[in-house]
């Protein structure tokens, strides 16, 4: 009985999502080049690019909302409607951090979401400010094929209300290229297919496209030492056995 109920609920949600899925598939898109032409992505044709001075204001606002503890800098942004408006979901903001190449192995086995929430609870409480009343981490996982870390969270903003944020950080040869997708809770069902279309379209120039290296596959240093010691004793055992056989055959 429960299985039938769950199937019915899933079917109803699927039917409700059909209009938004159709909207995303029919939406006219244009190709945008960002990061000095090193990255291309598809943006809805009707969306406008957010001017640099507005993006700078977002950086100042994020610093104020966290009491000066966090400063987020955005290099590019797009949204429907007035590009000069204050923070107005839905919108897409892009962050570029050239902090150096990262080893993808450290993201393959991320801790359970409950553990991350417990560890960060105190830190998040300390970053609340006049514009941010709450933050809830929903999910985090690594997309191995795209070398990208997906994070979703819910912001409780003083004036806008609850905002769902879908962020994808793509690893590059220079650092991270992150796309943040913002939508009000009331918008996210309709906007999710649009955001997915944008995120799936991200393409990198060969000069910065993440390329796994042999060294990335090596385990962390402590484990590497353990494996090296184990390998040493295994080789030593083989040498001893070979020497014993040689003596018996002599």
């Amino acid at each position: 009985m429960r299985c039938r109920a769950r199937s019915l609920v899933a079917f109803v949600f699927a039917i409700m999502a059909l209009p938004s899925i159709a909207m995303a598939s029919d939406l006219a898109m244009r190709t945008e080049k960002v990061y000095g032409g090193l990255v291309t992505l598809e943006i809805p044709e009707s969306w406008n690019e957010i001017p640099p001075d507005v993006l700078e204001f977002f950086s100042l606002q994020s610093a104020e909302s966290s009491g000066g503890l966090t400063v987020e800098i955005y290099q590019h942004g797009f949204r429907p409607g007035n590009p000069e408006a204050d923070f107005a979901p839905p919108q897409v903001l892009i962050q570029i951090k050239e902090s150096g190449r990262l080893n993808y192995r450290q993201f393959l086995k991320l801790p359970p979401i409950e553990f991350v929430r417990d560890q960060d609870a105190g830190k998040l409480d300390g970053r609340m400010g006049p514009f941010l009343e709450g933050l809830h981490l929903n999910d985090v996982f690594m997309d191995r094929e795209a070398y990208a870390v997906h994070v979703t969270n819910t912001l409780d903003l003083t004036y806008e209300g609850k905002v769902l944020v879908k962020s994808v950080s793509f690893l590059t040869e220079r650092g991270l290229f992150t796309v943040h997708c913002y939508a009000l809770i009331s918008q996210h069902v309709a906007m999710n297919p649009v955001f997915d279309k944008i995120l799936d379209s991200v393409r990198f120039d060969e000069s910065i496209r993440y390329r796994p290296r042999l060294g990335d596959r090596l385990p962390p240093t402590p484990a590497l030492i353990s494996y090296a010691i184990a390998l040493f004793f295994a080789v030593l055992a083989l040498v001893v056995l070979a020497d014993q056989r040689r003596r018996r055959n002599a």
Side-chain angles (χ1 to χ4, degrees):
M1 188 67 180
R2 290 182 179 178
C3 292
R4 291 182 179 178
R6 290 175 182 172
S7 300
L8 179 60
V9 171
F11 176 75
V12 171
F13 273 101
I15 294 298
M16 291 173 61
L18 283 178
S20 61
I21 293 173
M23 180 188 72
S25 61
D26 297 338
L27 194 64
M29 308 289 283
R30 71 175 189 270
T31 300
E32 287 283 347
K33 290 186 177 183
V34 297
Y35 200 179
L38 296 176
V39 179
T40 61
L41 71 164
E42 299 290 318
I43 296 295
E45 183 67 41
S46 59
W47 286 31
N48 301 306
E49 185 168 5
I50 301 174
D53 58 329
V54 178
L55 294 176
E56 184 178 356
F57 175 74
F58 288 166
S59 301
L60 296 175
Q61 191 177 48
S62 70
E64 186 175 358
S65 67
S66 64
L69 297 176
T70 302
V71 178
E72 300 296 339
I73 298 176
Y74 306 102
Q75 285 80 11
H76 305 279
F78 303 90
R79 66 147 72 107
N82 182 11
E84 301 281 349
D86 193 358
F87 183 83
Q91 65 184 20
V92 168
L93 300 180
I94 296 174
Q95 260 183 320
I96 301 169
K97 293 186 177 180
E98 293 190 334
S99 52
R101 186 184 182 279
L102 298 172
N103 187 330
Y104 74 88
R105 275 188 60 91
Q106 60 186 304
F107 303 106
L108 292 181
K109 293 184 178 181
L110 296 171
I113 191 67
E114 295 78 13
F115 176 81
V116 178
R117 287 176 187 152
D118 292 341
Q119 292 294 310
D120 289 346
K123 298 177 183 178
L124 294 177
D125 290 341
R127 294 187 178 186
M128 302 303 171
F131 301 110
L132 180 63
E133 295 182 349
L135 189 155
H136 180 77
L137 182 62
N138 301 327
D139 194 18
V140 56
F141 67 92
M142 168 73 171
D143 180 350
R144 172 64 176 78
E145 293 184 1
Y147 299 103
V149 180
H150 293 242
V151 179
T152 58
N153 56 65
T154 303
L155 301 177
D156 190 359
L157 302 180
T158 303
Y159 302 109
E160 290 81 4
K162 292 188 182 298
V163 175
L164 189 69
V165 188
K166 178 185 289 188
S167 302
V168 180
S169 294
F170 297 90
L171 275 65
T172 74
E173 287 295 303
R174 297 182 182 179
L176 291 173
F177 180 89
T178 304
V179 182
H180 301 284
C181 303
Y182 296 82
L184 296 173
I185 291 296
S186 59
Q187 300 170 333
H188 86 274
V189 172
M191 291 308 305
N192 263 341
V194 180
F195 289 154
D196 288 342
K197 198 167 185 177
I198 294 172
L199 293 169
D200 291 342
S201 71
V202 176
R203 297 291 183 271
F204 295 92
D205 184 84
E206 284 299 312
S207 62
I208 65 167
R209 183 178 62 83
Y210 193 82
R211 294 178 294 278
R213 302 174 184 175
L214 181 61
D216 295 336
R217 302 178 184 179
L218 296 175
T221 304
L224 182 60
I225 295 174
S226 300
Y227 291 156
I229 294 174
L231 180 61
F232 170 77
F233 282 107
V235 172
L236 180 61
L238 289 174
V239 171
V240 171
L241 288 174
D243 183 67
Q244 289 177 345
R245 290 179 181 176
R246 182 181 60 78
R247 290 183 178 182
R248 284 198 299 267
N249 295 330

